[in-house]
């Protein structure tokens, strides 16, 4: 196995692959990247057994085809630290890989390619096409609400719901929820709900750096596979049903409250300084055209801010985790924020004023 | 002006559990007594009487090994209720003579008697009196070490044992440490001891030769402490109300277990007991840690911090199952299981300020 490749061509896909590989491995070969060279094509594969990234690179200078695995992080660091534009000569000699560039020479240990684990995928029943930029935005507006290591394991991921030409993404840790809905411009003719695990969602979001690219998304009830430029991203799915969240929509609501997003954000950041470190509670006292934010902590420090709002409803008082509120407000792209509180003060919707594609829901804290 | 040296007493009960057994069972007196696991079990020696120590038996040694060294020893199952009761009596004695005392365990405590005017301010005479009181009220023997800091007081109590009363004065302190073998330093365990030998450090004098920077390079954070103790310096205060940081319970099995359901049941059991102890102390915990020791003595821990207090709820039971994922459970046999609750907060969880509502609890 022998080929020459430029540093700048191999580096981006190698970084994407290493990002998926877990630092602490149970099987040594999982720390390695699989390299397969043949017919003017180099295929690189990395996996943590839950997620797999396969990158295909077209190179002309393959003098001997073959396949081998090398320690991924070390190989990446070598490529990364070589100068821009460097030419990398890669050659398998016995059980060592020689990496040579200019006057730099490296000899890497290897493990045979035939020991590299197979990533099993079932047949893909469904699929649709989507612009990468659009999907990336949908991910960015939802991922921050995913649970992390929650025992309700189905919350440690993202719900992807295709209903004919509608795509809906939902994430929730129970304390807050984010929902993104858009048209995918094609009648798929099916209704399907799958849950992508947290790490896969984060890796995918990192991968989609070209907003103009097209995605081909295929999935079954066990697997998802996404074709993005020269990369194939695969992940296993969480085998569970996402809990029913429709109740939160089916309730009566107070009048909406309108406020300058940046003003609310700045005030929240300031009052949060003196909130309880653990619960981060901030109380919203709403009356007429005034919103009063207040916090206090066990050390008896107190903070208060008064903000001008546009509100026609009854006076009310409600408390939230300030960080959850900040995350939601910060993720709005509009100048104004609309806050709508449910009739019995059981939840708060945060959204943009005009034709929003996404909504955030933050659950209150009770005294 | 330099502050007057402190006066610290370290009280350490002699062979505590074994001594309690010999007190309550006259037939055990003057005989090798081993409190702990049975010789045919896989338990260890908790404490042994001085008669057993002559055979080379010591605490933490596997009981089976102790039996080989001293087959005539009487093996006794620990009675922690009785030990705890004795310990409480001893603590009430401390409380009578000094406001600032820090129990380290059932049988050991530091007393700060710097401000005491009893016995014209003689800490040695006060320590002697406390020893007499302990003997009078519990029929048990304590050793006392008196010095100007915790480190030296503890070394002093060790040196006089049994029934010791040993004083290290501020004048003697530095020279005393110089002549001390490095293995005798409290807080220097076997691993550090070996590392010190490798560096050519055998006594306190050798340790003193090393500059601070080098000690920190070799031993990290502990470097400063080693630098200090080599000079007989130990600024640690006697902490009268040392906050409890965790509550833990563990159990070693008679036979290694492999079955996942059984393991889970044991863990739930341990968790329940830990929660009871926590409730007795009127505290709540946010972190649950599971400890597993496999058949081959390899030990792992898995923990998780929740936003809600740990309770005996279905969620917590799910969490236990979750923590066992990615462990050897099911494939490797287990000899010991433990549960620790930490991230403690005072007070009942119901008295908390705010409660975060959950979307999926909506009725």
């Amino acid at each position: 196995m022998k080929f020459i490749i430029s540093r700048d061509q191999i580096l981006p896909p190698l970084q994407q692959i290493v990002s998926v590989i877990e630092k602490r491995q149970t099987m040594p070969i999982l720390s390695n990247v699989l390299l397969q060279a043949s017919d003017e094509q180099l295929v690189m594969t990395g996996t943590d057994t839950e997620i797999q990234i396969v990158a295909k690179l077209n190179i002309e200078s393959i003098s001997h085809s073959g396949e081998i695995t090398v320690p991924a992080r070390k190989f990446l660091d070598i490529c990364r630290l070589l100068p821009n534009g460097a030419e990398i000569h890669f050659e398998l000699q016995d059980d060592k890989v020689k990496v040579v560039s200019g006057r730099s020479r490296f000899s890497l240990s290897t493990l045979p390619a035939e020991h590299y684990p197979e990533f099993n995928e079932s047949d893909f029943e469904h699929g649709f096409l989507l612009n990468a930029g659009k999907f990336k935005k949908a991910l960015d507006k939802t991922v921050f609400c995913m649970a992390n290591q929650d025992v309700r394991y189905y919350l440690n991921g993202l719900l992807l719901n295709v209903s004919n030409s509608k795509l809906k993404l939902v994430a929730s840790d129970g304390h807050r929820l984010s929902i993104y809905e858009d048209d995918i411009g094609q009648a798929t003719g099916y209704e399907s709900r799958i849950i992508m695990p947290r790490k896969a969602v984060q890796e995918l979001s990192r991968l989609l750096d070209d907003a103009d690219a097209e995605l081909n998304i295929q999935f079954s009830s066990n697997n998802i596979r996404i074709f993005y430029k020269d990369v194939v991203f695969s992940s296993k799915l969480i085998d569970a049903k996402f809990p029913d969240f429709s109740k939160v929509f089916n309730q009566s609501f107070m009048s909406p409250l309108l406020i300058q997003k940046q003003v609310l954000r700045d005030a929240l950041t300031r009052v949060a300084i003196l909130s309880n470190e653990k619960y981060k509670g901030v109380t919203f006292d709403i009356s007429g055209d005034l919103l009063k934010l207040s916090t206090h902590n066990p050390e008896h420090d107190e903070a208060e801010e008064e903000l001008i709002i546009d509100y026609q409803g009854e006076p009310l008082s409600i408390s939230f985790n300030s960080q959850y509120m900040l995350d939601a407000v910060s993720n709005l792209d509009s100048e104004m924020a609309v806050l709508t509180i449910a009739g019995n003060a059981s939840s708060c919707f945060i959204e943009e004023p005009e034709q929003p594609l996404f909504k955030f829901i933050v659950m209150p804290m009770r005294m | 002006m330099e502050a007057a040296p402190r006066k610290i007493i370290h009280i350490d009960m002699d062979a505590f559990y074994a001594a309690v057994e010999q007190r309550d069972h006259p037939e055990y007196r003057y005989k090798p007594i081993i409190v702990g696991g049975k010789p045919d079990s896989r338990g260890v020696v908790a404490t042994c009487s001085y008669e057993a120590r002559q055979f080379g038996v010591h605490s933490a040694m596997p009981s089976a090994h102790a039996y080989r060294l001293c087959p005539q020893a009487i093996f006794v199952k620990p009675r922690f209720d009785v030990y705890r009761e004795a310990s409480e009596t001893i603590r009430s004695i401390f409380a009578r003579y000094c406001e600032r005392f820090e129990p380290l365990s059932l049988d050991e405590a530091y007393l700060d008697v710097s401000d005491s005017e009893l016995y014209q301010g003689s800490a040695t005479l006060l320590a002697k009196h406390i020893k007499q009181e302990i003997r009078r009220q519990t029929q048990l023997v304590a050793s006392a070490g008196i010095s100007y800091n915790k480190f030296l007081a503890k070394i002093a109590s060790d040196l006089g044992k049994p029934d010791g009363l040993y004083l290290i004065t501020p004048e003697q302190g530095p020279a005393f440490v110089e002549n001390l073998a490095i293995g005798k330093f409290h807080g220097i365990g076997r691993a550090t001891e070996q590392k010190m030998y490798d560096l050519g450090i055998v006594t306190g004098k050798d340790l003193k030769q090393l500059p601070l920077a080098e000690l920190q390079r070799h031993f990290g954070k502990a470097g400063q402490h080693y630098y200090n103790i080599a000079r007989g310096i130990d600024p640690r205060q006697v902490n009268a109300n040392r906050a409890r940081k965790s509550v833990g319970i563990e159990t070693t099995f008679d036979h290694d277990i492999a079955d996942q359901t059984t393991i889970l049941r044991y863990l739930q059991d341990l968790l329940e007991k830990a929660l009871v102890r926590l409730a007795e102390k009127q505290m709540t915990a946010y972190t649950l840690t599971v400890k597993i020791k496999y058949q081959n003595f390899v030990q792992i821990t898995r923990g998780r911090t929740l936003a809600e207090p740990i309770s005996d709820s279905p969620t917590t039971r799910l969490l236990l199952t979750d923590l066992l994922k990615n462990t050897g459970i099911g494939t490797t046999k287990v000899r010991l299981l433990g549960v620790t609750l930490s991230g403690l907060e005072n007070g009942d969880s119901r008295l908390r300020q705010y409660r975060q509502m959950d979307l999926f609890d909506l009725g």
Side-chain angles (χ1 to χ4, degrees):
Chain A
M1 184 181 185
K2 189 174 178 184
F3 61 84
I4 304 169
I5 190 165
S6 84
R7 169 194 180 268
D8 305 343
Q9 191 185 4
I10 197 171
L11 193 57
L14 197 54
Q15 272 165 332
Q16 289 160 350
I17 285 168
V18 169
S19 169
V20 165
I21 292 172
E22 288 284 339
K23 283 212 178 79
R24 286 167 58 195
Q25 279 301 350
T26 44
M27 274 163 68
I29 202 163
L30 290 176
S31 310
N32 283 14
V33 54
L34 170 66
L35 298 157
Q36 297 165 296
S38 66
D39 302 336
E40 305 192 342
Q41 197 173 55
L42 173 67
V43 180
M44 299 196 290
T45 304
T47 184
D48 67 354
T49 71
E50 293 293 312
I51 307 170
Q52 177 175 269
I53 291 189
V54 180
K56 296 189 170 94
L57 304 176
N58 292 315
I59 48 174
E60 282 156 23
S61 48
I62 296 178
S63 40
H64 297 287
S65 56
E67 54 177 20
I68 195 68
T69 80
V70 295
R73 211 163 287 273
K74 289 174 188 162
F75 185 44
L76 169 67
D77 284 343
I78 290 168
C79 296
R80 192 168 54 84
L81 294 169
L82 285 169
N84 286 341
E87 206 166 62
I88 299 169
H89 295 252
F90 185 105
E91 187 178 358
L92 178 64
Q93 290 177 0
D94 301 323
D95 61 345
K96 294 278 183 205
V97 156
K98 307 285 174 197
V99 177
V100 178
S101 179
R103 306 180 76 167
S104 310
R105 275 183 294 277
F106 307 87
S107 176
L108 281 172
S109 63
T110 64
L111 288 169
E114 58 266 29
H115 293 174
Y116 199 76
E118 188 86 26
F119 194 80
N120 294 318
E121 287 170 309
S122 52
D123 290 339
F124 294 95
E125 306 149 44
H126 299 309
F128 60 95
L129 303 173
L130 192 63
N131 166 264
K134 208 171 181 174
F135 196 56
K136 162 100 167 134
K137 183 179 172 184
L139 291 176
D140 289 347
K141 296 298 179 195
T142 46
V143 292
F144 69 96
C145 285
M146 288 190 295
N148 191 6
Q149 300 194 323
D150 199 298
V151 288
R152 298 168 291 184
Y153 60 99
Y154 40 80
L155 296 181
N156 303 325
L158 179 73
L159 170 68
L160 208 138
N161 174 205
V162 180
S163 181
N164 198 17
S165 63
K166 290 264 186 275
L167 171 70
K168 198 193 284 183
L169 300 186
V170 182
S172 176
D173 60 8
H175 298 163
R176 59 230 173 113
L177 181 140
S178 169
I179 182 162
Y180 184 99
E181 282 178 276
D182 204 359
D183 202 287
I184 50 175
Q186 60 205 287
T188 63
Y190 59 82
E191 154 94 35
S192 192
R193 296 159 73 95
I194 55 172
I195 306 173
M196 270 179 84
R198 182 184 167 89
K199 185 183 168 191
V201 175
Q202 288 171 331
E203 290 301 329
L204 181 59
S205 170
R206 194 171 305 160
L207 183 69
L208 304 180
D209 52 1
D210 181 355
D212 297 328
E214 280 300 314
L215 300 179
N216 179 355
I217 302 175
Q218 301 177 343
F219 61 93
S220 66
S221 54
N222 303 320
N223 292 87
I224 187 165
R225 180 166 73 178
I226 298 169
F227 293 86
Y228 165 72
K229 302 206 284 190
D230 294 329
V231 173
V232 186
F233 176 93
S234 306
S235 170
K236 297 190 174 150
L237 298 174
I238 294 179
D239 183 17
K241 219 178 131 215
F242 202 81
D244 180 24
F245 52 87
S246 61
K247 284 186 186 117
V248 77
F249 291 94
N250 300 329
Q251 49 186 340
S252 64
F253 291 95
M254 311 278 227
S255 328
L257 175 165
L258 211 66
I259 187 168
Q260 289 257 335
K261 179 187 77 177
Q262 196 56 43
V263 170
L264 176 57
R265 200 176 153 180
D266 293 346
L268 274 171
T269 313
R270 283 190 296 264
V271 297
I273 301 168
L274 300 185
S275 68
N276 184 310
E277 275 178 47
K278 190 156 205 148
Y279 309 113
K280 300 191 167 63
V282 52
T283 302
F284 285 52
D285 287 301
I286 306 162
S287 66
D289 53 3
L290 213 60
L291 163 64
K292 191 178 90 182
L293 302 180
S294 57
T295 55
H296 57 94
N297 61 19
E299 293 79 47
H300 304 292
D301 304 319
E302 290 174 6
E304 236 181 70
E305 293 254 358
E306 287 183 346
L307 314 172
I308 304 292
I309 51 168
D310 184 354
Y311 179 65
Q312 257 80 49
E314 292 293 307
L316 71 100
S317 180
I318 186 168
S319 299
F320 301 101
N321 177 313
S322 54
Q323 191 56 52
Y324 295 165
M325 264 296 165
L326 263 174
D327 288 348
V329 172
S330 306
N331 268 292
L332 298 176
D333 297 325
S334 54
E335 196 186 320
M336 301 298 285
V338 182
L339 274 62
T340 313
I341 292 161
N344 54 0
S346 62
S347 54
C348 178
F349 283 61
I350 298 116
E351 57 202 316
E352 298 182 349
E354 278 162 39
Q355 294 165 355
L357 291 174
F358 53 89
K359 286 183 183 47
F360 308 123
I361 298 166
V362 175
M363 300 297 287
M365 300 173 101
R366 295 264 166 86
M367 297 298 257
Chain B
M1 191 187 97
E2 217 174 294
R6 292 180 294 158
K7 294 175 196 164
I8 312 291
I9 301 175
H10 180 249
I11 301 275
D12 195 0
M13 300 303 294
D14 296 337
F16 185 50
Y17 300 168
V20 172
E21 295 304 334
Q22 288 181 322
R23 176 193 70 181
D24 296 350
H25 301 92
E27 68 275 22
Y28 291 170
R29 286 178 201 169
Y30 314 111
K31 288 184 182 155
I33 300 299
I34 292 177
V35 181
K38 290 220 168 77
D40 55 353
S41 77
R42 290 122 40 86
V44 295
V45 177
T47 312
C48 57
S49 67
Y50 281 92
E51 292 82 3
R53 289 181 199 195
Q54 287 174 353
F55 294 88
V57 179
H58 58 77
S59 50
M61 168 185 282
S63 295
H65 186 192
Y67 178 77
R68 282 199 297 278
L69 292 175
C70 183
Q72 68 271 44
I74 302 168
F75 285 81
V76 184
K77 214 176 125 198
R79 297 180 298 151
F80 286 105
D81 294 350
V82 182
Y83 311 149
R84 209 165 283 136
E85 200 186 303
S87 179
E88 265 159 38
T89 310
I90 294 160
R91 284 180 197 180
S92 71
I93 295 169
F94 298 155
R96 279 218 312 272
Y97 298 104
C98 123
E99 280 174 20
R100 282 171 64 186
F101 68 93
E102 176 183 339
L104 298 177
S105 59
L106 289 180
D107 62 345
E108 217 185 318
Y110 287 114
L111 286 67
D112 185 335
V113 297
S114 307
D115 301 327
S116 175
E117 286 169 6
L118 296 163
Y119 296 96
Q120 289 82 46
S122 163
T124 310
L125 290 177
L126 178 56
K128 193 174 172 188
H129 181 75
I130 289 172
K131 267 166 55 84
Q132 284 165 353
E133 268 307 291
I134 292 173
R135 177 167 263 177
R136 192 177 68 79
Q137 290 192 32
T138 65
Q139 292 94 53
L140 296 169
V141 181
S143 287
I146 305 106
S147 194
Y148 56 100
N149 61 39
K150 280 180 161 183
F151 170 67
L152 287 168
K154 184 152 182 158
I155 285 176
S157 73
D158 214 22
L159 287 168
K161 264 178 179 302
D163 199 10
L165 183 72
Y166 201 102
L167 168 72
I168 301 175
T169 65
E171 291 75 31
Q172 296 165 338
F176 195 91
V177 178
E178 281 197 2
N179 293 319
L180 202 61
I182 217 73
K184 289 268 177 194
F185 280 66
H186 286 280
I188 295 185
R190 225 179 288 165
T192 310
E193 188 183 345
Q194 188 55 51
K195 206 167 164 188
M196 293 221 174
Y197 283 154
D198 294 345
L199 291 169
I201 304 169
V202 180
T203 65
K205 194 172 184 178
D206 302 330
L207 183 60
K208 204 172 172 179
Q209 309 290 329
L210 262 69
L212 177 60
E214 194 169 340
L215 283 169
Q216 283 172 332
R217 190 161 56 80
H218 288 297
F219 302 104
K221 260 193 207 161
Q224 177 73 58
H225 179 63
Y226 298 152
Y227 181 85
N228 283 343
I229 59 178
R231 286 154 183 77
I233 299 167
D234 178 8
R236 288 176 302 161
Q237 293 293 317
V238 171
N239 198 344
N241 31 24
R242 198 155 62 130
R244 189 166 258 283
K245 285 183 182 148
S246 68
V247 171
I249 300 183
E250 57 184 52
T251 182
T252 305
F253 302 109
D254 296 336
H255 305 281
D256 296 329
I257 47 175
D259 178 53
Q260 181 148 11
T261 322
T262 316
I263 288 170
L264 207 58
R265 211 182 54 231
Y266 274 115
L267 284 175
Q268 275 168 18
D269 223 43
L270 289 170
L271 175 63
E272 250 167 63
K273 284 184 188 149
L275 283 168
V276 169
R277 272 200 206 169
L278 197 65
E280 280 168 1
K281 295 177 200 316
Q282 303 213 313
M283 298 185 99
T284 46
Y286 289 85
T287 306
L288 171 64
T289 309
V290 168
K291 174 164 140 187
I292 300 161
K293 196 184 264 176
Y294 297 117
Q295 195 173 27
N296 58 4
F297 284 86
V298 171
Q299 182 179 310
I300 60 159
T301 59
R302 292 283 184 273
R304 186 85 52 81
T305 301
L306 301 185
E308 295 290 311
I310 308 284
S311 63
D312 184 24
S313 68
T315 317
T316 310
R317 285 198 283 280
L318 261 178
L319 175 60
L320 282 177
T321 318
D322 209 35
L323 288 174
L324 295 186
K325 276 186 199 161
N326 304 318
T327 66
I329 298 287
T331 53
T332 313
K333 284 189 175 179
V334 168
R335 68 175 271 124
L336 174 149
L337 287 173
V339 163
T340 303
L341 296 169
S342 56
L344 302 189
E345 229 170 59
N346 276 319
D348 203 299
S349 61
R350 279 162 294 187
L351 301 175
R352 271 173 41 215
Q353 227 182 344
Y354 291 109
R355 196 158 66 91
Q356 173 68 55
M357 297 289 112
D358 198 286
L359 206 118
F360 303 109
D361 293 343
L362 279 181

